[in-house]
């Protein structure tokens, strides 16, 4: 099971946080601080895995943005790496050549995509098409409030 | 992609005005969030940012509370509030509005509202209760998007105790026509299962339906639940193995729609989930394993593409193959896979390879041999993570021959590691290896010195404990023991002579103890020299008072001869006025014993570490003294808290005795040590025995005895368990091993040597041969000490071990735990309760709820009646229908009341006895059913019941003497408590005669928890106050608080009230008073106070043992909660 997902910039600015298990504000702050210092101080060409307490931290840098995913000890590190990658692909598909700014300015969209992709710390939907269809059809509401139409769109 | 971002960052403001982003996403340059973000990026200092955000928050605050703000505006405001929170500024004022937005907004606003709620609040936040209604409404909505949102938020965070409210709705969604809803519902139920497993117990069969769902997505989701279920009980799901194998076959064969592919690999997440499930099912099970060999082979074959995701699958396959019962062809292929990982230039794969190698090395040590050069390279890898993983691998292959090299490598790593967690872990491993495989004394002591210095005060306390125990208990040979101790003494003296101020406290404590105990072994060492060295420690600034008392204890053992005595005198003068009472006590002891060497010899005999101790905790030898004193007119003993209380009373003439006096006395005496008379005697009993380790260390210091035995003959027990577990699985097939050994030998002899830098290579070769020695032929099967070829150095003496365990049995109390009679009761009754609950094992929760509902029978009568049939139904008795009909035999006066489950007492071929009870206000009604299962009538029947603790009186008018065939006789008793005990027992005997037969008897015993006799006692605070002072029996203890951010005291008391039927008299601030009575008319009062995160309770009653028993049940109730 995944425990949390953090997105932060090279400067250590938090861009997105998702906690899959309940955590107090203080714990969260400490984890964010630990993660940014640990991950940002990694040398290039090191492996993408870290140990932190009893958790494994899997991180990957995409352009200026670090994706940092904590998993339980017995989980598969490579698979977690692909979870991150799939999330980036989903963002990319939605925003079209995604960059950090997309995520800064539309972070709520990034959360919605994540919620379609992961649920309760487990993978929910791996298909790019389906996730995007979900998000886009909800987005349509903004332009057109006739609910019949998007439901057809979303649920085939 | 990176270029784009680099540029955008530098040219941020100009880009922000562009509006030409592709897709549906737009940079909201004109929006307020856009302005805020832009504003922040333009700032130069943290201080400015703070000011800006505070301004922003004030403006958001004004707007959200304005009634004119529309929901659409509200959504925008929430997004900004989320942003501010993400930057680390609190916007708690907006939480309630987030909930409002989720409640009232249109679908799109709602989505932001839910998002804000899930980011702002956590599961225990009180505002979350307000969300329950919204979620309920949305779950019932016809709009699918709303249902989706509700399910998402439910799986994200939902108060545990509110789950029952929405559970039926979520369950319904399992039948929803849309697969996306079904999938989310399954995942939500999975989440519920994780946080409250018993709540979803009843829908296990629906999970099966989800597993068979026609949509692969729903099926995948259900596997999360199955993995969890199988983890807990693999036996129960063996029948599904074939189905899982079939599913995996189809997935691997590419039968799923393309949608499920990830980089053209079919449903990798699903594959991995299935592989995990299969490995759990096949573990230790030959026939189940056989079902999966084929599909595992296929998986290995199909995963050929060079991509991370295929490697992830391969890794999982390998793990599965090594977990289930072995099959040689598969093992071969798996080994090849691991080889590919380890040799891969990609560092992530190398890491995984090392991990896999660590996992399999115990059953396949030749694999480590094969890759020894790679392992050596990894050991010098610049990346610490790789290094760490390599050490883990080496730890698993350590034996008597390579231990020095491996431990050296581990210590090297410890010296550069900064991470506390790693340090603690590694230090433990080094200590384990050192104890297990130490080649000689010097090495062992020096290694432990490094462990103590590097581990500092973070390491597990059992490391020094076990080290001292090892020293004091000794091994097979006395001469060896002496050498080891002597070496330790020498080594510590030289350490103290150099730089004692750099040593951690724990190490200083170890040093003090060893010097105190064994420095006499060294001929050239004067006690005075040691005394001076030790006394220097007392002057060091950072020495803690705990260490100081160890030092003083050591000195007490040493003060002999003129110089030593004068040192002792100096020490006494400086410490006799210490603020720390323990130090003062130690200084006094030092002073007295240094004056009187004869007494010292008796109190602190040398080499007494092995003598078992007998502690008379009741101090019975003082009885004569006490009775003489009493006869001479001395006042009877009163525990300190009582004395203080009386003192307080005398000082302040309070009109309300309770409220005034109690807080004073409660705060003035430490609640940590229970001051029941037994404990008092206990601690004084301890000071009389000098051989106890813990006493030597000073009573406030490390508790050495009674600590859970984590170290055993083979080393660290707790850690060995998983190892042994895997070892069991990995019985290598005997067919294979000869060839394997041959291979191992050959690989060892012909290790490849690419000649780049011959000298360096030579070094590595050398290292390799020292690291992997002993891994070759002779020990290719067992490495982890199972049948270790090298004899263990520190094999403890059998006698020593026996005496140590004897000592710990005899003096479990040296831990400072509570030696009151309840302790024994605790153990017994724990067993008892297991026995009692055995028949209902399947439904512990159900019987629990029965207990409570039965307790509150007056209010919840109807509820209980509805519940009862299903509970009985759950009860796994073979004769279910009989139970049901038995209840109809209840005496008429009880038939309207709720009764407990009918439990069988005993039976033979002709009679079945069972019992149940009904709680009445003033008594407990016990009903015993005698069911005649034979074909003839029972005659001259006589039922006798008796109990030491209970008073039973028969209510049935005339005793039944005859029971016809296949009918039931009922005996009805009214029961009250004579003498409280944690569990009370009714013993009974039934004698009867079958026509023409000889008289027969059948005996039974029936246990009743004391809780069934507890009733609320309604009192006013004033009454409570006066009663409190009148009661003499009392007990104090700290209980755990139930922490749920709101009001822990109220919550905890409510739990007690619910479970034990206590009456909460009043709660004032951090204190609460509670009253109850034991039927009949045996009151018990409880005073609770929240203190340092625990609940300090103080119970009083006129009845002996009642406070202790009630306390036990309170503990249980809180634990169960």
């Amino acid at each position: 099971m995944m425990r949390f997902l953090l997105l932060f910039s090279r400067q250590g600015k938090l861009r997105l946080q998702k906690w899959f298990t309940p955590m107090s504000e203080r714990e969260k702050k400490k984890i964010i601080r630990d993660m940014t210092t640990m991950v940002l101080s990694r040398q290039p060409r090191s492996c993408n895995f870290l140990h932190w307490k009893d958790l494994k931290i899997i991180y990957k840098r995409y352009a200026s943005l670090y994706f940092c995913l904590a998993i339980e000890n017995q989980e598969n590190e490579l698979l977690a790496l692909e979870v991150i990658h799939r999330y980036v692909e989903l963002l990319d598909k939605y925003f079209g050549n995604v960059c950090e700014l997309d995520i800064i300015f539309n972070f709520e969209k990034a959360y919605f995509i994540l919620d379609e992709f992961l649920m309760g710390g487990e993978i929910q939907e791996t298909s790019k098409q389906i996730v995007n269809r979900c998000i886009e059809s909800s987005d349509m509401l903004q332009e057109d409030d006739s609910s019949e139409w998007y439901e057809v769109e979303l649920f085939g | 992609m990176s270029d784009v971002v680099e540029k955008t960052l530098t040219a941020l403001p100009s880009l922000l005005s562009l509006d030409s982003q592709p897709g549906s996403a737009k940079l909201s340059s004109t929006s307020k969030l856009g302005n805020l973000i832009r504003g922040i990026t333009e700032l130069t200092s943290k201080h400015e940012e703070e000011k800006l955000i505070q301004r922003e928050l004030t403006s958001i605050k004004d707007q959200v509370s304005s009634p004119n703000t529309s929901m659409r505006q509200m959504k925008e405001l929430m997004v900004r509030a989320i942003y501010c929170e993400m930057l680390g500024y609190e916007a708690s004022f907006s939480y309630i509005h987030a909930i409002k937005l989720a409640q009232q907004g249109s679908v799109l606003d709602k989505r932001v509202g839910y998002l804000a709620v899930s980011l702002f609040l956590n599961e225990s936040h009180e505002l979350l209760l307000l969300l329950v209604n919204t979620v309920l409404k949305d779950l019932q909505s016809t709009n699918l998007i709303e249902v989706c949102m509700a399910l998402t938020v439910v799986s994200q965070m939902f108060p545990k105790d509110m789950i029952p409210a929405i559970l039926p709705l979520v369950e319904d969604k399992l039948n929803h026509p849309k697969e996306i809803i079904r999938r989310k519902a399954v995942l939500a139920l999975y989440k519920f299962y994780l946080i409250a497993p018993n709540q979803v117990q009843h829908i296990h069969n629906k999970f099966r339906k989800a597993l068979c769902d026609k949509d692969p997505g729903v099926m995948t989701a259900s596997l999360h639940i199955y993995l969890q279920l199988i983890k807990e009980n693999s036996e129960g799901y063996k029948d599904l193995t074939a189905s899982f194998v079939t599913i995996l076959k189809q997935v691997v064969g590419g039968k799923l729609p393309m949608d499920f592919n990830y980089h053209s690999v079919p449903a990798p997440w699903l594959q991995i989930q299935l592989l995990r499930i299969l490995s759990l099912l096949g573990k230790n099970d030959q026939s189940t394993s056989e079902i999966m060999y084929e599909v595992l082979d296929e998986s290995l074959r199909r995963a050929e593409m060079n991509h991370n995701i295929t490697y992830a699958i391969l890794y999982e396959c390998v793990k599965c193959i090594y977990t289930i019962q072995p099959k040689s062809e598969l093992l071969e292929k798996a080994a090849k896979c691991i080889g590919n990982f380890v040799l891969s230039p990609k560092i992530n794969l190398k890491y995984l390879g090392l991990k896999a190698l660590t996992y399999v090395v115990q059953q396949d040590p030749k694999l480590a041999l094969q890759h020894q050069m790679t392992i050596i390279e990894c050991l010098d890898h610049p990346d610490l993570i790789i290094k760490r993983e390599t050490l883990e691998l080496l730890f698993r292959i350590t034996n008597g021959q390579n231990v020095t090299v491996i431990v050296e490598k581990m210590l090297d790593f410890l010296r550069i590691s900064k991470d506390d967690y790693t340090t603690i872990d590694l230090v433990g491993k080094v200590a384990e290896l050192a104890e297990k495989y130490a080649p000689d004394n010097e090495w062992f002591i020096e290694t432990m010195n490094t462990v103590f210095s590097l581990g500092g005060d973070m390491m597990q306390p059992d490391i020094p404990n076990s080290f001292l125990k090892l020293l004091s208990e000794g091994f097979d040979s006395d001469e060896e023991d002496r050498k080891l101790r002597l070496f330790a003494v020498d080594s510590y003296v030289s350490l103290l002579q150099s730089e004692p101020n750099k040593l951690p406290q724990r190490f200083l404590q170890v040093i003090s103890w060893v010097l105190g105990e064994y420095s006499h072994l060294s001929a050239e060492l004067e006690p005075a020299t040691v005394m001076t060295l030790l006394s220097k420690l007392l002057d060091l600034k950072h020495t803690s008072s705990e260490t100081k008392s160890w030092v003083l204890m050591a000195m007490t053992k040493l003060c002999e001869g003129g110089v030593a005595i004068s040192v002792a005198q100096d020490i006494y003068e400086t410490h006799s006025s210490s603020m720390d009472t323990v130090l003062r006590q130690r200084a006094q002891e030092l002073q007295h014993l240094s004056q009187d060497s004869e007494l010292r010899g008796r109190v602190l005999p040398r080499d007494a570490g092995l003598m078992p101790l007998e502690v008379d905790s009741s101090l019975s030898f003082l009885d004569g003294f006490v009775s003489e004193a009493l006869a001479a007119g001395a006042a009877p003993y009163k525990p300190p808290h009582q004395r203080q209380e009386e003192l307080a009373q005398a000082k302040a003439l309070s009109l309300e005795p309770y409220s005034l006096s109690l807080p004073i006395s409660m705060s003035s005496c430490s609640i940590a040590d229970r001051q029941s008379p037994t404990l008092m005697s206990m601690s004084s009993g301890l000071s009389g025995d000098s051989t106890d380790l813990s006493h030597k260390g000073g009573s406030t210091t490390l508790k050495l005895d009674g600590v859970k035995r984590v170290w055993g003959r083979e080393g660290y027990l707790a850690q060995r368990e998983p190892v042994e577990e895997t070892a069991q699985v990995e019985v290598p097939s005997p067919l294979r091993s000869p060839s394997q050994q041959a291979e191992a030998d050959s690989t060892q002899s012909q290790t490849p040597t690419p000649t780049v830098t011959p000298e360096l290579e030579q070094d590595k070769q050398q290292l390799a041969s020292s690291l992997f020695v002993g891994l070759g032929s002779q020990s290719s099967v067992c490495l982890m000490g199972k049948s270790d070829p090298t004899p263990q150095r520190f094999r403890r003496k059998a006698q020593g071990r026996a005496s140590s365990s004897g000592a710990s049995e005899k003096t479990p109390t040296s831990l400072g735990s509570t030696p009151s009679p309840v302790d024994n009761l605790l153990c017994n009754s724990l067993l008892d309760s297991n026995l009692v609950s055995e028949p209902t094992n399947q439904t512990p929760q159900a019987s629990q709820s029965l207990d409570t509902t039965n307790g509150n029978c007056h209010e919840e009568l109807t509820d209980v009646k509805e519940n009862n049939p299903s509970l009985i139904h759950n009860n796994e008795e073979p004769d279910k229908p009989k139970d049901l009909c038995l209840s109809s035999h209840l005496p008429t006066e009880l038939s309207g009341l709720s009764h407990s489950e009918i439990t069988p007492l005993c039976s033979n071929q002709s009679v079945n006895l069972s019992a149940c009870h009904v709680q009445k206000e003033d008594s407990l009604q016990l009903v015993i059913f005698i069911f005649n299962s034979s074909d003839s009538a029972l005659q001259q029947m006589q039922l006798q019941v008796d109990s030491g603790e209970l008073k039973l009186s028969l209510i049935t008018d005339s005793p039944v003497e005859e029971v016809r065939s296949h009918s039931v006789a009922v005996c009805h008793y009214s029961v009250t408590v004579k003498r409280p005990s944690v569990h009370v027992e009714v013993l009974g005997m039934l004698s009867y005669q079958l026509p023409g037969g000889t008289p027969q008897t059948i005996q039974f015993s029936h246990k009743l928890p004391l809780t069934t006799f507890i009733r609320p006692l309604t009192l006013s605070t004033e009454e409570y106050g006066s009663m409190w002072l009148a009661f003499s029996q009392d007990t104090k203890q700290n209980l755990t608080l139930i922490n749920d951010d709101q009001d822990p005291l109220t919550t905890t008391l409510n739990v007690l009230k619910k479970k034990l039927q206590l009456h909460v008299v009043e709660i004032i601030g951090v204190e609460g008073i509670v009253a109850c009575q034991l039927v009949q008319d045996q009151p018990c009062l409880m005073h609770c106070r929240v203190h340092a995160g625990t609940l300090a309770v103080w119970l009083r009653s006129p009845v002996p043992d009642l406070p202790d028993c009630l306390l036990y049940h309170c503990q249980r109730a809180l634990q169960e909660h």
Side-chain angles (χ1 to χ4, degrees), chain B residues 763-1040:
Chain B
D763 282 355
K764 282 190 181 169
Q765 286 288 337
Q766 215 168 355
L767 182 58
S769 59
S770 54
L771 274 178
F772 296 94
V773 62
L775 269 190
S777 46
Q778 94 273 33
S779 61
S780 69
V781 182
C782 305
L783 286 164
M784 284 305 282
K786 265 174 81 187
S787 66
D788 202 313
T790 48
Q792 249 188 55
R793 178 161 190 80
F794 299 130
R795 218 176 278 283
R796 298 200 174 161
K797 254 189 243 179
Q799 180 255 333
R801 279 166 46 81
S803 79
S804 81
S805 61
S808 58
E809 269 159 31
K810 275 173 194 152
T811 59
T813 43
S814 59
L815 228 178
S817 69
T818 53
S820 72
V822 191
D823 261 16
N824 300 329
L825 289 173
L826 261 173
C827 308
N828 295 338
S829 59
L830 274 178
L831 289 173
D832 292 345
S833 64
N834 281 343
L835 285 175
V836 169
S837 63
E838 213 152 60
T840 56
N841 243 354
Q842 288 301 98
T843 54
Q845 217 55 38
S847 59
Q848 174 60 36
S849 73
L850 177 86
D851 267 5
T852 40
T853 41
N854 185 13
N856 301 338
C857 52
H858 308 295
E859 295 114 52
E860 298 174 23
L861 202 62
T862 45
D863 258 344
V864 177
K865 270 192 198 155
E866 277 165 24
N867 284 343
N868 257 337
S870 68
L871 286 168
I872 289 166
H873 181 72
N874 277 336
N875 180 9
E876 279 212 335
E877 276 306 298
D879 39 5
K880 247 178 271 163
K882 201 190 78 197
D883 269 356
L884 271 175
C885 70
L886 274 181
S887 62
S888 65
H889 288 277
L890 274 172
T892 41
E893 64 265 39
L894 299 180
S895 59
L897 302 169
S898 70
H899 61 85
S900 74
E901 199 175 327
I902 298 176
T903 42
L905 297 174
C906 61
S907 59
N908 61 14
Q909 65 281 4
S910 46
V911 190
N912 275 320
L913 285 174
S914 31
C916 77
H917 56 255
V918 173
Q919 299 191 11
K920 282 177 106 179
E921 208 164 336
D922 57 346
S923 63
L924 187 82
Q925 306 290 311
L926 178 71
V927 180
I928 296 176
F929 301 94
I930 306 161
F931 175 68
N932 179 2
S933 54
S934 71
D935 293 328
S936 41
L938 300 180
Q939 290 163 340
Q940 296 179 14
M941 195 181 70
Q942 209 176 6
L943 181 68
Q944 286 177 335
V945 287
D946 190 27
S947 166
E949 301 94 0
L950 298 175
K951 203 175 114 207
L952 296 125
S953 47
L954 188 67
I955 290 187
T956 326
D957 307 326
S958 53
V960 200
E961 284 178 352
E962 190 174 308
V963 189
R964 274 178 295 122
S965 161
H966 296 289
S967 66
V968 178
V970 174
C971 292
H972 177 190
Y973 296 90
S974 174
V975 188
T976 53
V977 180
K978 239 175 4 197
R979 190 162 56 77
S981 153
V982 174
H983 277 83
V984 287
E985 197 176 18
V986 178
L987 297 170
M989 189 175 76
L990 178 77
S991 54
Y992 61 90
Q993 200 170 0
L994 286 169
T998 49
Q1000 295 191 23
T1001 57
I1002 176 167
Q1003 290 183 336
F1004 63 89
S1005 73
H1006 182 44
K1007 288 201 175 78
L1008 293 160
L1010 194 71
T1011 43
T1012 51
F1013 294 96
I1014 297 174
R1015 304 285 179 272
L1017 177 63
T1018 320
L1019 287 176
S1020 69
T1021 310
E1022 289 74 34
E1023 286 167 336
Y1024 183 100
S1026 54
M1027 279 169 86
W1028 179 266
L1029 292 175
F1031 295 166
S1032 55
Q1033 303 290 331
D1034 70 352
T1035 298
K1036 287 181 183 180
Q1037 182 75 284
N1038 284 359
L1039 298 180
T1040 43

Side-chain angles (χ1 to χ4, degrees), chain B residues 17 145 152 471 490 573 578 729 805 813 830 956 987 1001 1060 1094:
Chain B
S17 56
I145 292 194
T152 305
L471 272 188
D490 288 344
E573 269 153 31
S578 165
V729 194
S805 61
T813 43
L830 274 178
T956 326
L987 297 170
T1001 57
L1060 300 177
T1094 57

Side-chain angles (χ1 to χ4, degrees), chain B residues 402-415:
Chain B
N402 59 15
V403 64
T404 46
V405 197
I406 288 178
V407 164
E408 193 48 50
K409 290 283 166 197
M410 290 173 120
L411 292 177
D412 283 347
F413 185 87
L414 272 174
R415 288 187 188 103

Side-chain angles (χ1 to χ4, degrees), chain B residues 600-618:
Chain B
R600 194 168 55 83
R602 271 195 298 143
V603 174
L604 299 167
R606 262 178 198 166
D607 281 330
L610 293 177
M611 250 114 73
L613 304 170
E614 298 236 15
V615 178
D616 180 3
S617 62
S618 64

Side-chain angles (χ1 to χ4, degrees), chain A residues 18-20 22 42 46-49 53 64 76-77 82 89 95 105 122 124-125 138-139 150 155, chain B residues 5 16 25 111 123 143 145 156 180 183-184 190-191 262-263 308 312 316 348 351 355 383 421:
Chain A
K18 186 81 186 174
W19 308 90
F20 296 109
R42 292 282 286 166
S46 318
C47 70
N48 296 60
F49 316 131
K53 303 231 162 128
S64 59
N76 188 324
E77 287 91 343
E82 295 313 295
E89 285 179 348
F95 288 105
F105 284 98
E122 299 287 355
Q124 183 197 173
E125 176 59 70
S138 326
D139 282 351
Y150 72 79
F155 302 104
Chain B
V5 181
L16 286 174
R111 192 161 67 153
E123 279 175 339
N143 185 331
I145 292 194
Q156 168 74 232
I180 185 172
R183 196 180 59 211
K184 281 182 197 273
Y190 165 65
K191 194 74 190 180
Y262 176 84
H263 293 260
N308 267 348
E316 219 63 46
N348 286 344
Y351 171 90
K355 234 181 94 164
D383 190 348
Y421 200 83

Side-chain angles (χ1 to χ4, degrees), chain A residues 1 10-11 13-25 28-29 42 45-54 56 61-64 73-79 81-83 85-86 88-89 92 94-102 104-109 111-112 115-117 119-130 134-139 141-143 145 147 150-151 154-156, chain B residues 1-2 4-6 8-9 12 15-16 21-28 33-34 37-38 49 72 75 79 82-83 85-88 106-108 111-112 115 118-120 122-123 142-145 148 151-152 155-156 178 180 183-185 187-188 190-191 194 224 231 259-263 268-269 272-273 276 307-309 311-313 315-316 319 347-349 351-352 355 383-386 388-389 419 421:
Chain A
M1 201 178 121
R10 231 168 29 172
Q11 291 76 32
K13 284 245 188 285
L14 188 66
R15 296 302 181 207
L16 187 141
Q17 50 176 331
K18 186 81 186 174
W19 308 90
F20 296 109
T21 44
M23 208 110 47
S24 75
E25 285 307 310
K28 286 183 186 172
K29 287 223 163 98
R42 292 282 286 166
R45 291 159 57 85
S46 318
C47 70
N48 296 60
F49 316 131
L50 283 171
H51 297 256
W52 183 80
K53 303 231 162 128
D54 57 338
K56 294 271 177 55
R61 182 178 154 186
Y62 288 87
S64 59
N73 220 341
Q74 70 280 9
E75 296 279 312
N76 188 324
E77 287 91 343
L78 280 183
L79 195 67
L81 213 49
E82 295 313 295
V83 169
H85 190 71
R86 178 39 55 113
V88 174
E89 285 179 348
D92 199 52
Y94 179 78
F95 288 105
N97 203 3
V98 67
C99 69
E100 192 185 343
L101 285 180
D102 290 320
I104 299 176
F105 284 98
N106 299 288
F107 65 85
E108 81 274 19
K109 298 278 164 48
Y111 277 115
F112 296 147
D115 280 342
E116 285 305 318
F117 174 46
M119 190 165 158
E122 299 287 355
I123 293 279
Q124 183 197 173
E125 176 59 70
T126 51
S127 157
K128 265 194 272 194
Q129 284 76 17
I130 294 180
C134 286
I135 303 295
E136 271 165 14
S137 53
S138 326
D139 282 351
L141 288 166
Q142 213 149 26
E143 277 84 48
D145 249 10
S147 47
Y150 72 79
E151 277 193 23
L154 167 56
F155 302 104
Chain B
M1 207 198 302
S2 92
V4 177
V5 181
E6 301 288 315
T8 47
L9 268 179
L12 185 66
L15 259 171
L16 286 174
Q21 284 296 305
S24 51
K26 296 184 202 86
L27 288 185
S28 339
L33 174 70
I37 295 170
R38 195 167 9 168
E49 182 190 293
R72 185 159 283 202
K75 182 184 93 182
V79 171
I82 297 176
Y83 193 80
E85 281 245 330
M86 185 158 68
L87 291 176
S106 70
V107 178
L108 210 75
R111 192 161 67 153
V112 174
L115 174 67
S118 69
L119 287 170
F120 288 156
N122 61 23
E123 279 175 339
T142 50
N143 185 331
L144 296 182
I145 292 194
C148 281
L151 286 172
T152 305
S155 72
Q156 168 74 232
K178 294 292 175 202
I180 185 172
R183 196 180 59 211
K184 281 182 197 273
L187 280 172
Y190 165 65
K191 194 74 190 180
L194 289 183
H224 294 303
K231 236 181 231 168
D259 255 2
F260 289 91
N261 282 9
Y262 176 84
H263 293 260
W269 280 275
I272 285 176
Q273 197 76 357
R276 282 186 189 153
H307 189 282
N308 267 348
I309 199 75
Y311 294 131
I313 297 175
Y315 172 74
E316 219 63 46
K319 266 180 82 169
I347 187 159
N348 286 344
L349 289 188
Y351 171 90
L352 222 61
K355 234 181 94 164
D383 190 348
L384 281 188
I385 304 296
I386 298 283
R388 175 79 180 74
E389 213 54 43
D419 176 41
Y421 200 83

